[in-house]
Amino acid sequence: IFCVMPVSTPINLKRLDQDEFKQLDYAVMGHAYQCQNSLGRLCEEGIYQRDLADRLESAGLGPVHVEFPIQVTHGDFSTTYSADLVVADSAIYELKTTAALIGDHKRQLLNYLLLCEQPRGKLINFRPAGVESQFVNTQLTLDKRREFSVDTSRWVKLCNRCEMAARLLDELLRDWGGFLETNLYLEAVTHFLGGEGVVLARIPVSRQGRLLGTQPVQLLSSDVMLRMTALTENQDEFEVHLQRMLSHSQLRGVQWVNLNHHVVEWKTLTKS
């Protein structure tokens, strides 16, 4: 297994420059169009995935890796992502069957590119009348992603596990770097705080004494919630709504961490 700590993949992916990638992609997209022309646009994603892989292999564009595993570790924490296709041991493709490509799809592929230290990849969507595609590019290296500062100007310790969560996230960012999917950091922090059975809970939400239902949250203590985001704008608006939810709960406060590119912002919200 090839290992770029703390990420491991079955092979060391080759880095293509922009012209090399475009040349390969031109051929890949030709076969993607043939997939849709042959199968139509109503099949499930896995059908297009296998058909495109077969076509690329038959055309001599292999090897093609289907469900390419990307394992991420830190201490005894481990999780594995699966990239839909890796073509010619170099190019990562993520396939979709959705009405239209959205930002979440781009962020998913970007996560894979950053973990594999690849500068470019592509999304392909087979559902629209014509095959939709989008390049995803990044110039962020692992060293660049490990450069971050921490803003705790609005942070207050509410419980012992507050400091533990902050320390854990700092360790993860120094190991993995920033800009990855928020859920990856949250999943790891949850693991090291005792696992989902300890951290995940549903809290009651009420208005004027009437129970409206329960809300799933991550807890640092019985009355302190952890909330993690990656907002680069509209933080003030988000804070307003987070404060509103807090006011209708039995929680004492929220430790909100926002991964804003190279700045880690910790903010403590309490009931006003």
Side-chain angles (χ1 to χ4, degrees):
I1 288 183
F2 168 72
C3 184
V4 178
M5 289 187 60
V7 178
S8 59
T9 55
I11 59 169
N12 183 358
L13 298 186
K14 294 178 288 187
R15 290 174 63 92
L16 303 180
D17 63 30
Q18 188 172 11
D19 289 338
E20 290 171 330
F21 187 92
K22 284 186 175 181
Q23 182 177 357
L24 175 62
D25 179 66
Y26 181 82
V28 171
M29 290 306 300
H31 291 286
Y33 297 135
Q34 292 177 17
C35 284
Q36 193 195 58
N37 289 338
S38 174
L39 298 170
R41 62 185 182 92
L42 303 180
C43 296
E44 291 188 337
E45 179 183 308
I47 294 174
Y48 297 111
Q49 181 186 39
R50 287 184 287 273
D51 187 55
L52 181 55
D54 288 347
R55 289 174 183 272
L56 295 175
E57 289 275 8
S58 297
L61 295 174
V64 178
H65 305 271
V66 177
E67 297 299 323
F68 184 78
I70 306 169
Q71 185 182 38
V72 188
T73 61
H74 181 86
D76 64 356
F77 170 80
S78 176
T79 191
T80 301
Y81 294 98
S82 295
D84 285 340
L85 291 180
V86 170
V87 181
D89 288 345
S90 56
I92 300 177
Y93 285 83
E94 194 63 19
L95 311 182
K96 299 297 175 186
T97 50
T98 186
L101 294 173
I102 60 175
D104 284 347
H105 301 143
K106 179 179 179 180
R107 285 186 285 271
Q108 179 189 11
L109 178 53
L110 179 61
N111 191 59
Y112 299 163
L113 296 177
L114 294 176
L115 289 171
C116 294
E117 295 199 74
Q118 290 293 304
R120 53 189 58 85
K122 198 171 193 184
L123 296 164
I124 301 177
N125 183 17
F126 289 96
R127 185 68 77 231
V131 176
E132 180 187 16
S133 64
Q134 182 179 343
F135 289 106
V136 178
N137 303 300
T138 179
Q139 296 180 345
L140 287 168
T141 64
L142 179 57
D143 287 341
K144 288 289 186 183
R145 293 191 295 106
R146 283 173 170 159
E147 296 175 0
F148 64 93
S149 60
V150 182
D151 180 359
T152 57
S153 58
R154 292 185 53 195
W155 184 85
V156 178
K157 177 182 175 181
L158 295 179
C159 65
N160 290 333
R161 288 160 70 84
C162 295
E163 289 182 328
M164 186 183 301
R167 176 180 55 78
L168 286 168
L169 181 58
D170 186 79
E171 291 176 356
L172 293 170
L173 289 167
R174 295 186 187 284
D175 194 14
W176 298 341
F179 294 82
L180 301 175
E181 285 187 345
T182 309
N183 281 342
L184 175 59
Y185 304 108
L186 186 57
E187 184 182 348
V189 169
T190 298
H191 169 81
F192 289 113
L193 289 176
E196 294 184 355
V198 174
V199 177
L200 301 188
R202 298 191 71 94
I203 60 169
V205 177
S206 305
R207 186 175 65 85
Q208 296 180 344
R210 175 177 171 78
L211 178 65
L212 303 175
T214 59
Q215 175 78 16
V217 298
Q218 287 81 26
L219 292 178
L220 294 173
S221 69
S222 61
D223 58 0
V224 177
M225 182 176 83
L226 172 66
R227 187 59 187 263
M228 190 178 298
T229 58
L231 303 175
T232 58
E233 55 185 17
N234 300 322
Q235 290 95 324
D236 291 343
E237 179 188 3
F238 184 85
E239 181 174 341
V240 168
H241 291 281
L242 191 56
Q243 192 79 54
R244 287 174 182 172
M245 188 176 72
L246 173 63
S247 69
H248 290 284
S249 75
Q250 297 176 345
L251 295 173
R252 178 164 55 100
V254 178
Q255 297 290 16
W256 173 29
V257 56
N258 184 53
L259 306 177
N260 185 359
H261 287 170
H262 291 284
V263 181
V264 181
E265 303 164 332
W266 280 96
K267 299 179 182 179
T268 302
L269 307 183
T270 56
K271 290 182 177 177
S272 55

